[in-house]
Amino acid sequence: MKISEFKKAGHWPTLFSAFLYFDFSFMVWVMLGALGVFLAADLQLEPGQKALLVALPLLSGAAFRVVLGSLVDSKGPRKAALMGLCLTALPLLMGWFAPHTYAAFLVVGVLLGIAGASFAAALPLAGRWYPPQFQGLALGIAGAGNSGTVLAAFFAPRAAQWLGWQNVFGLLLLPWAAVLVVFLLMSKEPPAPKAQLGEKKAELAAMLRESTTWKFCGRYALTFGGFVGLASFLPIFLHDQYGMDKMKAANLTALCVMGGSFLRPLGGSLADRFGGEKVLMMVFSAIASLSLAAALLPSLLVAGVVLVALLSCLGLGNGALFQLVPQTFGQVRLGRITGLMGAAGGLGGFCLPMLLGNLKGSTGSFGWGFGVWAGLAALATLASALRLLRQPSAAGLGSMAGGEEA
């Protein structure tokens, strides 16, 4: 694949706008995780309360993604993205002015899910501009907006020490306004699929009856859920398990999530070349092994290497999985399936911090939570291997062009 061909194939200003919208929204979405150590100390939270506080935006994001995915199919991805971006100002304003209580920030956490819903609009906005042979790379570039987790992990704690953690929410209104202006000026509604964009409720129900839908959602709950869940909970984990101070925990978290963020396009590109199912089988195997290593709670040096590798593999898996999506479901249903998968990913992201926090509270160890995730990844590895054995031609791009049964 030549870069010149890729540039001519779609609309790069919209691709850039989709990336920028996704990047900022991701930064906002995981903000309670980035500030989690500050909030936990100020509000004097127990392990289970810490987990719920950072996981709640991930759960509410799952619900909002279904709504935004439906708007994508009825109104178009650009209009849906603009709605989501405008509404993202609400939790920022409330976070800035809310009283310092646990209950108030649980409400903020729910509203932050609006930013997490950006996934359901950003990917169709980018993907509908590109033909099948460029889907993996285009969706990988747009999806690399999850690098917003890096920005949140690195800059939010520093801004909190300088301005106070509550004022960080007000500071975020500045890049929000800038992203809104760029999006309005540069993005363009992609061509509608051949079929009508709007889908009836009966058609959504039909999708939910398809086993393929649930398989994709389950795998995305593991890859994306693992990535965003760890990105949100790592500062608390590093602080509580290894006694790291706020800034060192923020630095290591940023390093860990950087790999997963920027390797997502590579996952899509590798899937374009070798087949998404083959790449996923290898990635799930690595996730299982690395999660098991993390469950042993090794020394800080070893844990740092393991966590960087783990989040990198999760990012590769995200890109590889979404290379399969348009090939399997087609462009007409892309908004629906990205909304459903995004909801599953948010649910997975909610489950991982809750596993880590609550099992820490009940057993005294974070290791059990990582162990459960390792088991789930092992099952996903086996499932991918069985699919390849049953449908060996499904690994090739050519066979997927007509619609793969994954």
Side-chain angles (χ1 to χ4, degrees):
M1 180 184 68
K2 296 181 180 179
I3 298 298
S4 59
E5 295 176 352
F6 177 73
K7 289 181 179 178
K8 294 177 181 178
H11 190 253
W12 72 261
T14 299
L15 179 59
F16 174 73
S17 299
F19 164 80
L20 197 63
Y21 162 56
F22 197 24
D23 195 55
F24 171 76
S25 297
F26 242 77
M27 178 174 62
V28 172
W29 192 30
V30 299
M31 192 53 56
L32 289 185
L35 299 174
V37 177
F38 293 87
L39 274 76
D42 198 6
L43 303 179
Q44 299 181 337
L45 304 181
E46 298 295 327
Q49 292 177 311
K50 296 177 189 178
L52 181 60
L53 186 66
V54 303
L56 192 56
L58 310 182
L59 181 63
S60 63
F64 283 121
R65 285 181 182 200
V66 176
V67 176
L68 200 64
S70 297
L71 287 173
V72 165
D73 288 333
S74 62
K75 303 295 184 182
R78 184 178 182 272
K79 290 180 181 177
L82 279 172
M83 292 179 195
L85 184 56
C86 290
L87 290 173
T88 298
L90 294 178
L92 297 180
L93 289 167
M94 185 172 179
W96 193 9
F97 295 111
H100 287 212
T101 65
Y102 181 59
F105 276 88
L106 288 179
V107 176
V108 172
V110 171
L111 293 176
L112 285 173
I114 297 171
S118 59
F119 172 96
L123 268 65
L125 179 63
R128 285 181 180 170
W129 276 106
Y130 290 87
Q133 65 268 30
F134 297 121
Q135 286 287 318
L137 182 56
L139 294 176
I141 291 172
N146 60 24
S147 59
T149 54
V150 181
L151 300 176
F154 188 81
F155 290 108
R158 287 166 171 77
Q161 278 201 334
W162 180 39
L163 299 172
W165 61 263
Q166 201 159 11
N167 290 323
V168 175
F169 292 95
L171 184 65
L172 285 168
L173 289 168
L174 296 177
W176 170 81
V179 171
L180 180 60
V181 170
V182 171
F183 194 91
L184 285 168
L185 294 177
M186 295 186 66
S187 66
K188 185 178 179 182
E189 198 75 69
K194 292 181 180 180
Q196 292 296 317
L197 278 172
E199 282 192 82
K200 298 178 182 178
K201 291 182 179 180
E203 293 173 321
L204 176 59
M207 283 189 68
L208 292 174
R209 289 193 295 268
E210 295 179 19
S211 62
T212 305
T213 300
W214 293 104
K215 291 170 184 176
F216 270 75
C217 287
R219 292 193 283 179
Y220 199 64
L222 184 61
T223 59
F224 178 80
F227 174 82
V228 73
L230 277 179
S232 297
F233 197 74
L234 269 184
I236 291 174
F237 168 71
L238 293 170
H239 179 271
D240 291 359
Q241 177 64 33
Y242 295 102
M244 298 185 73
D245 65 36
K246 296 180 180 69
M247 289 304 102
K248 289 181 180 179
N251 291 339
L252 183 52
T253 298
L255 179 63
C256 288
V257 300
M258 189 179 298
S261 298
F262 293 108
L263 286 179
R264 181 166 179 154
L266 178 60
S269 183
L270 288 173
D272 282 338
R273 183 173 181 181
F274 300 108
E277 204 65 66
K278 281 185 178 179
V279 175
L280 282 172
M281 184 182 68
M282 300 301 294
V283 165
F284 282 133
S285 177
I287 291 171
S289 299
L290 291 165
S291 297
L292 187 58
L296 300 176
L297 301 177
S299 66
L300 178 58
L301 178 60
V302 175
V305 174
V306 168
L307 290 169
V308 169
L310 175 56
L311 271 84
S312 296
C313 288
L314 291 167
L316 284 170
N318 292 334
L321 186 56
F322 258 89
Q323 185 265 358
L324 293 174
V325 170
Q327 307 294 345
T328 304
F329 294 93
Q331 292 292 344
V332 175
R333 301 193 295 172
L334 189 58
R336 291 286 191 198
I337 189 59
T338 52
L340 290 171
M341 287 178 64
L347 182 60
F350 171 79
C351 289
L352 182 52
M354 293 300 289
L355 276 172
L356 292 169
N358 285 288
L359 289 176
K360 166 67 173 177
S362 60
T363 69
S365 174
F366 286 114
W368 290 102
F370 283 110
V372 171
W373 215 252
L376 293 173
L379 291 175
T381 304
L382 178 61
S384 287
L386 290 175
R387 286 188 193 92
L388 285 171
L389 288 174
R390 290 196 303 265
Q391 299 177 339
S393 63
L397 179 60
S399 65
M400 290 190 299
E404 175 194 9
E405 183 70 24

